């Protein structure tokens, strides 16, 4: 298995008003986006070309949305990238860029 193109841990993943996990994982690997619980169980996954990632119009800078398989997930990542060697999720902006890059849609 190849090294993931993007990986974030400690991500809050929710759907509408319901929290699915407070310390989940987001991974882009082998052309797929995977949303995982803190235990590594799959919440949802889809080919990255079929995923739409964006930032909500209103809200904090640490939020992103991901549309997979007709479902919209709210992701709470970091407002900014953690310092080198420090734990914490990367910035929401980096997640959106990684989805676009993996899908071949540019920057």
């Amino acid at each position: 298995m190849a090294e993931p193109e993007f990986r974030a841990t400690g991500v809050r993943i929710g759907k509408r008003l319901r929290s699915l996990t407070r310390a989940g994982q987001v991974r882009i690997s082998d052309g797929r986006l995977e949303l995982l619980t803190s235990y590594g169980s799959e919440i949802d996954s889809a080919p990255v070309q079929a995923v739409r990632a964006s930032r909500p119009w209103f809200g904090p800078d640490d939020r992103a949305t991901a549309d997979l398989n007709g479902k919209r997930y709210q992701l709470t990542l970091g407002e900014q990238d953690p310092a080198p060697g420090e734990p914490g999720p990367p910035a929401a902006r980096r997640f959106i860029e990684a989805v676009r890059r993996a899908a071949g849609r540019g920057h």
Side-chain angles (χ1 to χ4, degrees), residues 1-13:
M1 184 177 204
E3 187 68 24
E5 299 162 37
F6 178 86
R7 183 183 175 131
T9 57
V11 178
R12 180 182 293 252
I13 302 172

Side-chain angles (χ1 to χ4, degrees), residues 26-28 31-35 44-46 48 51 66 68 95 99:
V26 176
R27 186 169 55 203
I28 298 174
R32 288 190 73 78
L33 172 72
E34 299 174 300
L35 303 178
D44 206 346
S45 71
V48 77
V51 173
L68 285 82
F95 163 71
V99 169

Side-chain angles (χ1 to χ4, degrees), residues 8-57:
T9 57
V11 178
R12 180 182 293 252
I13 302 172
K15 198 162 80 173
R16 299 200 183 222
L17 297 176
R18 191 171 136 226
S19 178
L20 301 175
T21 183
R22 293 184 350 191
Q25 302 174 45
V26 176
R27 186 169 55 203
I28 298 174
S29 182
D30 297 328
R32 288 190 73 78
L33 172 72
E34 299 174 300
L35 303 178
L36 308 168
T37 67
S38 55
Y39 300 107
S41 300
E42 184 176 290
I43 295 170
D44 206 346
S45 71
V48 77
Q49 289 85 1
V51 173
R52 202 171 120 243
S54 61
R55 281 206 359 88
W57 285 13

